[in-house]
């Protein structure tokens, strides 16, 4: 029996030693599926399923509008947020769940520009997630160059581009394509030295990367509810605002739910205290309930353990890929050092799209990112080392048989 680091036995031994192994039981994973796509859409937890049924049938179905008070629907944006706070290193009362990451970016960018007047520059990375760039471009065209000027530079040019003209530095910790990781603490300190506010997008970080937003002095952050946090498709996103800014920040999207007292129905807007001002309209209770329930899977785990496991899974995958002659056509586009990347691995291949479709067909769920990347995500709560080992076997088989060349796999679907 082989006991080398590429054997099934080795993967099984790693699973036996895995302190997070029991967490897999929290999830309802389809049979014969290895889900390496938790970085795009986290899977369904038993708790979220149960809670959704209860909210629909009993709370909405029977208690109707009384549920806003009886089942504390009105507090849900904060209840869920307080479960996210420890995952990002935030003390209480600095996080709220609402809207999408895109909308929250708009609120916070406008907020930062107002706080930093007369500074007008928004500095970001050219390879940022498109929505981050689009929102900043939209704000620039709305406000005009005299009040908002977007400057996007390559990641390694960022330190040099920081100056006293920059109002806000907008960055994403983990690159959605390559998984490249920024040193958040270092860049935040560099920005602060120039009086620049920092706004971090933690969409590919929350629930898997070790974050210390308070200790690092982060000003603002946003993050995604439906990726590693498993909140469900289109789950509300979150906003973090450091409490030192609560007195001076002003969201530009003034809705009644962000009012100091929505049920006074005042005609004049007065912002709510703390994080409340970031609420806009009525919270989506079905989605928020699913997110709130899913977050309970994190209640008793240390983020450092999640990060250690995702690194171990990724390292095993990378080792198996690199040692296999049949997989030599794939090029690793992520940093080879697990500390310098997020929780997925990006490999390029000229036939990436068809390979991705054929893998999905074989029950190995991964995704494709244009133009030639296959992403393999290693969400630590439910994946086993043997899943990684099996995924590699499927990939080898597919490459050997060239099944990915079949017509049905080359046709582009609308969502990749
Ligand atoms: C997934 C993701 C988003 C998603 O934004 P939504 O508006 O919530 O759809 C934003 N930024 C990054 C970096 C992401 O990875």
């Amino acid at each position: 029996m082989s006991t080398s680091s590429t054997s099934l036995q080795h993967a099984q031994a790693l699973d036996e030693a895995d302190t997070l192994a029991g967490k897999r039981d929290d999830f309802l994973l389809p049979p014969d599926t290895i889900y390496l796509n938790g970085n795009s859409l986290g899977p369904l937890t038993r708790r979220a399923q149960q809670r959704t049924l209860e909210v629909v049938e009993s709370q909405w179905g029977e208690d109707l509008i009384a549920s806003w008070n009886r089942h504390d629907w009105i507090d849900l944006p904060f209840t869920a947020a307080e479960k996210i706070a420890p995952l990002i290193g935030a003390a209480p009362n600095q996080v709220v769940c609402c809207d999408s990451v895109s909308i929250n970016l708009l609120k916070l960018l406008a907020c930062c520009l107002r706080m930093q007047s007369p500074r007008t520059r928004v500095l970001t990375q050219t390879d940022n997630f498109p929505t981050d760039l689009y929102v900043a471009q939209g704000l620039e065209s709305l406000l005009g160059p005299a009040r908002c000027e977007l400057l996007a530079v390559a990641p390694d040019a960022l330190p040099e581009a920081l100056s006293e003209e920059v109002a806000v530095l907008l960055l994403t910790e983990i690159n959605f394509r390559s998984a490249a990781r920024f040193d958040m603490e270092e860049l935040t300190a560099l920005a602060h030295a120039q009086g620049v506010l920092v706004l971090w997008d933690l969409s590919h970080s929350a629930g898997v990367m070790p974050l210390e937003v308070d200790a690092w002095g982060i000003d603002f952050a946003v993050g995604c509810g439906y990726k590693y946090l498993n909140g469900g498709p289109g789950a509300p996103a979150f906003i973090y605002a450091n409490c030192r800014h609560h007195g001076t920040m002003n969201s530009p999207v003034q809705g009644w739910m962000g009012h100091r007292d929505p049920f006074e129905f005042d005609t004049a807007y007065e912002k709510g205290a703390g994080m409340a001002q970031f609420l806009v309209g009525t919270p989506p209770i079905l989605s928020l309930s699913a997110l709130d329930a899913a977050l309970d899977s994190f209640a008793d785990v240390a983020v450092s353990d999640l990060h250690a496991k995702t690194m171990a899974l990724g390292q095993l995958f990378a080792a198996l890929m690199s040692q296999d002659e049949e997989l030599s056509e794939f090029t690793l586009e992520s940093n080879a050092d697990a500390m310098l990347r997020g929780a997925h691995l990006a490999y390029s291949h000229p036939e990436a799209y068809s390979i991705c479709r054929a893998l999905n067909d074989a029950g190995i769920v991964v995704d494709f990112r244009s133009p030639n990347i296959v992403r393999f995500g290693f969400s630590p709560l439910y994946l086993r080392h043997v899943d990684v080992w099996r995924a590699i076997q499927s990939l080898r088989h597919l490459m050997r048989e060239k099944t990915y060349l079949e017509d049905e796999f080359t046709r582009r679907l609308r969502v990749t």
Side-chain angles (χ1 to χ4, degrees):
M1 189 191 290
S2 163
T3 52
S4 81
S5 63
T6 53
S7 68
L8 176 58
Q9 288 75 21
H10 176 67
Q12 285 166 333
L14 292 174
D15 285 333
E16 272 157 38
D18 176 10
T19 55
L20 291 171
K23 283 284 164 186
R24 185 175 168 85
D25 295 336
D26 283 13
F27 291 84
L28 286 156
L29 296 159
D32 305 319
T33 298
I34 294 176
Y35 195 68
L36 303 181
N37 220 340
N39 50 310
S40 252
L41 174 66
L44 177 63
T45 57
R46 291 177 196 281
R47 287 187 183 94
Q49 184 197 46
Q50 187 56 41
R51 179 76 169 277
T52 305
L53 289 172
E54 181 190 318
V55 172
V56 169
E57 289 172 5
S58 149
Q59 298 183 6
W60 182 18
E62 290 168 24
D63 294 343
L64 287 162
I65 201 164
S67 296
W68 285 104
N69 291 307
R70 191 173 300 158
H71 301 293
D72 293 322
W73 283 359
I74 198 68
D75 286 329
L76 209 44
F78 303 99
T79 317
E82 292 308 334
K83 296 177 184 178
I84 294 173
L87 301 178
I88 63 170
N93 302 317
Q94 300 176 103
V95 182
V96 67
C97 289
C98 54
D99 302 310
S100 60
V101 172
S102 307
I103 297 291
N104 291 334
L105 284 168
L106 176 70
K107 295 179 209 168
L108 291 175
L109 274 180
C111 205
C112 288
L113 284 169
R114 253 208 268 196
M115 291 166 75
Q116 292 286 72
S117 175
R119 296 187 187 201
T120 55
R121 192 170 300 163
V122 175
L123 177 63
T124 192
Q125 54 190 122
T126 42
D127 61 350
N128 207 340
F129 190 80
T131 213
D132 299 57
L133 299 173
Y134 301 160
V135 166
Q137 290 161 9
L139 201 59
E140 187 182 38
S141 76
L142 174 74
L143 298 178
R147 291 169 63 203
C148 176
E149 171 214 2
L150 179 62
L151 176 64
V153 302
D156 39 357
L158 285 163
E160 223 174 293
L162 281 166
S163 72
E164 290 184 358
E165 264 128 66
V166 177
V168 52
L169 176 63
L170 165 66
L171 296 178
T172 298
E173 186 199 16
I174 306 297
N175 182 275
F176 74 104
R177 229 186 234 112
S178 68
R181 181 187 187 187
F182 276 124
D183 186 327
M184 286 178 61
E185 186 177 14
E186 184 183 298
L187 278 157
T188 300
L190 284 176
H192 284 172
Q194 305 275 355
V196 175
L197 291 174
V198 294
L199 166 49
W200 284 99
D201 186 335
L202 304 177
S203 293
H204 274 274
S205 310
V208 72
M209 301 304 288
L211 300 165
E212 294 294 344
V213 291
D214 282 351
W216 298 339
I218 305 301
D219 299 288
F220 298 99
V222 292
C224 189
Y226 56 78
K227 291 174 179 153
Y228 296 107
L229 299 182
N230 311 308
F238 68 86
I239 292 181
Y240 162 85
N242 193 302
C243 58
R244 70 173 175 273
H245 296 310
H246 287 197
T248 49
M249 63 193 186
N250 287 293
S251 172
V253 190
Q254 301 182 166
W256 72 304
M257 281 293 153
H259 190 277
R260 194 172 55 84
D261 195 348
F263 294 94
E264 281 301 317
F265 295 97
D266 268 349
T267 50
Y269 183 77
E270 241 182 281
K271 71 176 181 186
M275 298 308 292
Q277 68 164 291
F278 289 113
L279 296 177
V280 179
T282 307
I285 296 302
L286 301 183
S287 290
L288 258 178
S289 300
L291 172 63
D292 181 63
L295 287 168
D296 287 339
S297 286
F298 291 91
D300 51 357
V301 300
V303 178
S304 54
D305 290 344
L306 295 172
H307 188 226
K309 184 174 171 191
T310 196
M311 289 197 294
L313 292 167
Q315 275 163 324
L316 177 62
F317 188 92
L320 292 169
M321 281 291 268
S322 68
Q323 288 166 24
D324 200 317
E325 194 52 40
E326 287 181 282
L327 300 175
S328 61
E329 287 172 11
F330 288 93
T331 307
L332 179 62
E333 300 291 342
S334 304
N335 201 304
D337 181 347
M339 283 303 285
L340 299 179
R341 64 180 189 234
H344 69 271
L345 284 170
Y347 284 87
S348 60
H349 189 287
E351 304 291 339
Y353 183 73
S354 314
I355 291 169
C356 184
R357 292 283 313 283
L359 264 180
N360 292 352
D361 189 65
I364 314 297
V365 184
V366 298
D367 67 13
F368 164 80
R369 281 296 170 263
S370 180
N372 62 348
I373 300 281
V374 187
R375 294 193 305 182
F376 301 88
F378 303 100
S379 199
L381 282 177
Y382 49 86
L383 282 176
R384 301 167 297 200
H385 297 81
V386 295
D387 295 328
V388 167
W389 192 86
R390 293 204 178 99
I392 292 282
Q393 305 315 306
S394 286
L395 186 57
R396 289 181 66 189
H397 178 77
L398 193 141
M399 298 311 290
R400 191 184 317 129
E401 305 293 325
K402 299 207 181 300
T403 50
Y404 61 89
L405 294 176
E406 287 167 23
D407 264 4
E408 59 168 319
F409 299 137
T410 57
R411 235 172 298 120
R412 256 329 145 89
L413 299 178
R414 278 183 64 198
V415 176
T416 62

